[in-house]
Amino acid sequence: MLQTDFSFKDKSILEAIIDNAFEWVVVVDTEGKVRFMNKNYCEFLEVDPKKVIGMHVTEVIENTRMHIVAQTGKAEIADLQYIKGNYMIANRIPIFHENEVVAALGTVIFRDTEQWKKMNSHVKSLFSELEFYRKEWSANNGAKYSLNDLVGVSDSIKELKNQVKKISSGDISVLIRGESGTGKELLAHSIHQLSERSTAPFVKVNCAAIPDNLLESELFGYVEGAFTGAKKGGKVGKFILANEGTLFLDEIGDMPLRMQAKLLRVLQEKEIEPIGANETEKVNVRVLAATNRPLEKMVQEKLFREDLFYRINGFQLHIPALRERKDDIKPLVEHFLEKVTRRTGKRIQSIDEEVNKILFCHNWPGNIRELENVIEAAVHLTYDETIDKTSLPEYLNENDSLKIGSKSLKELVEETEISAIKKALSQNAGNKLAAAKTLGIGKSSFYEKLKRYDMI
């Protein structure tokens, strides 16, 4: 408690004033230890007012900067702070005595809980809108991932990151290999971000998702009147959109042979010819490609052009499957847990040790993508601050050796969705709208899933 000249009676009055004048108040000393915290703040944080005195503020308030302000003496006014799944506005003010910082005062000022709820909803709405525009800009103008998003502590991931750093600065073509769900697209984004082309466009084409008859116009574009149905003004192809930047050809192993020949010509001549055009256009594009298919075998079987294989295989990067780097499971779980809870606003502090063992022992046929889906489902189905095994998909709680290989990843994912829907309906007494909200999906999406799985 701070020393004053007030009598005991006066101190009691002062404490009563502070408890009622502000919603939350905390005072820390220069070591960052709590010296005072008012009643309302203690109740909100669910801490004992007596035990909290003397504790370091970082042990009491998440994402706090009170100890930093007490050290630097620099005030922080109206700063957003994320506490217990919500954004709050905090003021942190250093307290000086004889030109030296002796403590720091922190306040979060709201007149009542309803006011806090309204402002919190408004702030969340603004963040959601900002995130939408950020993603839209990234999708159209550049890479949205960096090498920092490649989470892992294993030797294989450390070596992979070193390789990316070495080859990113040049213009050499790169072939990224790895099973589905290992993060090949993330690696392509990272290479672009670290390259000399990072300020230019990053354009992605999924060769497996575009019908064969549309792939040529998607890559090279077309001029007005090139064919029946061609839109007025023509269409700009991905190569032109990526000019001076990077073009990422995902699932290149699924590209038809006819298009492989056209792609090879572009890579050799560095020029494209839009459909229906009479002249070619020069392009300066770095090409990154990715596949989970055995291209060497496909070359032998005449399913993939050998000359194209050597053209795109300037340098090869291999992302190991998750089952081959079990040391990365725990940091990945922590990464996804923080990501999902921040997006959903749910407060989850830890994962049960039994859950960690289950996750470690699972074979992960869907790799990182499967792990992220599991963590997201577990967060939605958890109502405490700890994830236990009851929140995991049913197939993870069964004998892993019996499941893996006996069913496809699609079937396992469908089983997980059905299990999550049943549990959400049960926990909400059959109320479909409440169940959809529990799962964090919209009403229309929820009803589509019910219809798909014959659960209406």
Side-chain angles (χ1 to χ4, degrees):
M1 193 72 174
L2 294 176
Q3 298 298 316
T4 70
D5 294 329
F6 288 104
S7 65
F8 176 80
K9 181 179 179 180
D10 291 329
K11 287 181 181 178
S12 299
I13 293 173
L14 180 59
E15 289 183 1
I17 292 172
I18 293 175
D19 276 335
N20 290 282
F22 299 98
E23 193 66 25
W24 301 303
V25 177
V26 63
V27 177
V28 303
D29 60 21
T30 53
E31 295 180 355
K33 294 181 179 179
V34 176
R35 292 305 172 194
F36 174 79
M37 181 175 285
N38 73 336
K39 180 181 67 176
N40 285 336
Y41 208 170
C42 289
E43 289 176 354
F44 175 74
L45 295 173
E46 298 176 344
V47 296
D48 189 323
K50 295 179 181 178
K51 293 182 180 179
V52 79
I53 304 302
M55 293 177 63
H56 197 274
V57 68
T58 55
E59 299 176 316
V60 183
I61 308 172
E62 60 183 305
N63 300 314
T64 183
R65 290 178 53 83
M66 288 295 298
H67 56 302
I68 297 174
V69 172
Q71 283 288 322
T72 63
K74 295 180 180 179
E76 297 180 355
I77 307 298
D79 186 36
L80 278 178
Q81 185 172 343
Y82 194 75
I83 308 176
K84 293 186 73 170
N86 295 290
Y87 288 101
M88 303 181 184
I89 297 178
N91 299 314
R92 308 179 192 98
I93 304 168
I95 299 174
F96 290 87
H97 179 68
E98 295 182 353
N99 294 323
E100 288 188 7
V101 180
V102 295
L105 168 70
T107 63
V108 181
I109 306 173
F110 290 100
R111 294 184 63 83
D112 53 43
T113 306
E114 287 306 311
Q115 184 183 10
W116 167 74
K117 286 181 179 178
K118 289 177 182 177
M119 183 165 287
N120 181 55
S121 297
H122 180 61
V123 171
K124 279 188 173 180
S125 174
L126 291 175
F127 266 82
S128 177
E129 186 176 354
L130 178 63
E131 182 67 9
F132 171 80
Y133 288 116
R134 186 191 68 80
K135 286 183 177 178
E136 187 178 65
W137 185 92
S138 296
N140 293 322
N141 296 280
K144 58 184 177 180
Y145 302 113
S146 70
L147 203 56
N148 292 328
D149 293 304
L150 184 61
V151 177
V153 296
S154 62
D155 290 340
S156 58
I157 288 299
K158 290 178 181 177
E159 176 58 26
L160 183 60
K161 286 186 174 183
N162 286 333
Q163 289 180 324
V164 170
K165 292 174 184 176
K166 289 177 182 177
I167 57 95
S168 292
S169 59
D171 262 352
I172 188 172
S173 57
V174 180
L175 178 60
I176 305 170
R177 313 289 290 266
E179 294 180 7
S180 179
T182 50
K184 297 187 290 295
E185 182 178 346
L186 186 153
L187 216 59
H189 284 246
S190 301
I191 294 170
H192 175 76
Q193 293 277 29
L194 292 173
S195 74
E196 300 299 320
R197 299 173 180 260
S198 59
T199 57
F202 175 89
V203 178
K204 172 192 171 184
V205 178
N206 189 326
C207 301
I210 302 172
D212 294 357
N213 61 326
L214 298 180
L215 188 55
E216 182 176 359
S217 64
E218 192 70 21
L219 288 174
F220 310 135
Y222 57 79
V223 298
E224 184 176 341
F227 50 83
T228 303
K231 67 180 183 179
K232 188 176 182 179
K235 178 180 178 178
V236 178
K238 299 296 187 185
F239 266 94
I240 293 297
L241 290 175
N243 197 29
E244 304 298 332
T246 304
L247 180 66
F248 175 46
L249 298 175
D250 198 9
E251 306 296 351
I252 195 170
D254 292 274
M255 181 178 285
L257 280 168
R258 183 181 67 86
M259 277 304 304
Q260 290 178 29
K262 292 179 179 291
L263 174 62
L264 178 63
R265 181 184 177 281
V266 172
L267 297 182
Q268 289 175 335
E269 305 298 330
K270 299 188 184 303
E271 60 183 23
I272 64 147
E273 186 176 332
I275 299 174
N278 296 318
E279 297 179 353
T280 60
E281 297 182 50
K282 288 288 183 182
V283 289
N284 175 16
V285 174
R286 184 184 191 181
V287 172
L288 308 177
T291 186
N292 60 0
R293 303 191 66 181
L295 293 187
E296 292 85 352
K297 184 179 179 181
M298 292 176 67
V299 168
Q300 293 176 356
E301 296 173 351
K302 307 298 183 183
L303 297 175
F304 198 87
R305 293 182 63 105
E306 184 176 16
D307 44 9
L308 178 60
F309 173 70
Y310 289 118
R311 174 67 64 174
I312 63 175
N313 193 27
F315 190 90
Q316 192 168 136
L317 293 172
H318 175 73
I319 308 179
L322 188 54
R323 62 181 173 276
E324 298 171 0
R325 50 184 183 105
K326 290 291 186 81
D327 289 346
D328 292 333
I329 291 177
K330 188 172 182 180
L332 279 166
V333 168
E334 293 172 351
H335 171 72
F336 291 138
L337 183 61
E338 180 183 1
K339 177 180 174 182
V340 177
T341 53
R342 184 172 289 274
R343 188 179 71 245
T344 60
K346 294 194 72 170
R347 176 180 171 85
I348 294 179
Q349 299 280 47
S350 61
I351 295 180
D352 187 82
E353 189 56 38
E354 186 177 9
V355 171
N356 283 325
K357 290 180 180 178
I358 292 172
L359 298 179
F360 186 84
C361 293
H362 184 54
N363 205 39
W364 299 111
N367 291 294
I368 297 173
R369 187 183 296 123
E370 181 188 2
L371 176 60
E372 183 173 12
N373 289 340
V374 165
I375 297 303
E376 180 149 12
V379 168
H380 285 302
L381 296 175
T382 299
Y383 291 89
D384 320 351
E385 293 189 354
T386 300
I387 292 178
D388 60 28
K389 65 179 295 183
T390 63
S391 299
L392 293 177
E394 288 183 5
Y395 74 88
L396 285 176
N397 287 312
E398 298 177 10
N399 188 329
D400 192 58
S401 62
L402 295 177
K403 300 295 290 186
I404 302 307
S406 63
K407 293 185 179 181
S408 67
L409 176 61
K410 181 181 178 182
E411 290 172 321
L412 293 176
V413 171
E414 287 179 350
E415 285 184 3
T416 304
E417 284 198 331
I418 292 171
S419 173
I421 290 170
K422 287 180 178 178
K423 188 169 183 179
L425 286 169
S426 174
Q427 290 174 344
N428 290 281
N431 187 316
K432 293 183 176 62
L433 291 179
K437 187 175 181 181
T438 298
L439 294 172
I441 60 178
K443 180 178 68 173
S444 58
S445 297
F446 185 74
Y447 275 92
E448 284 176 8
K449 293 181 185 296
L450 289 178
K451 184 176 180 180
R452 184 194 311 165
Y453 300 129
D454 294 324
M455 298 174 68
I456 293 181

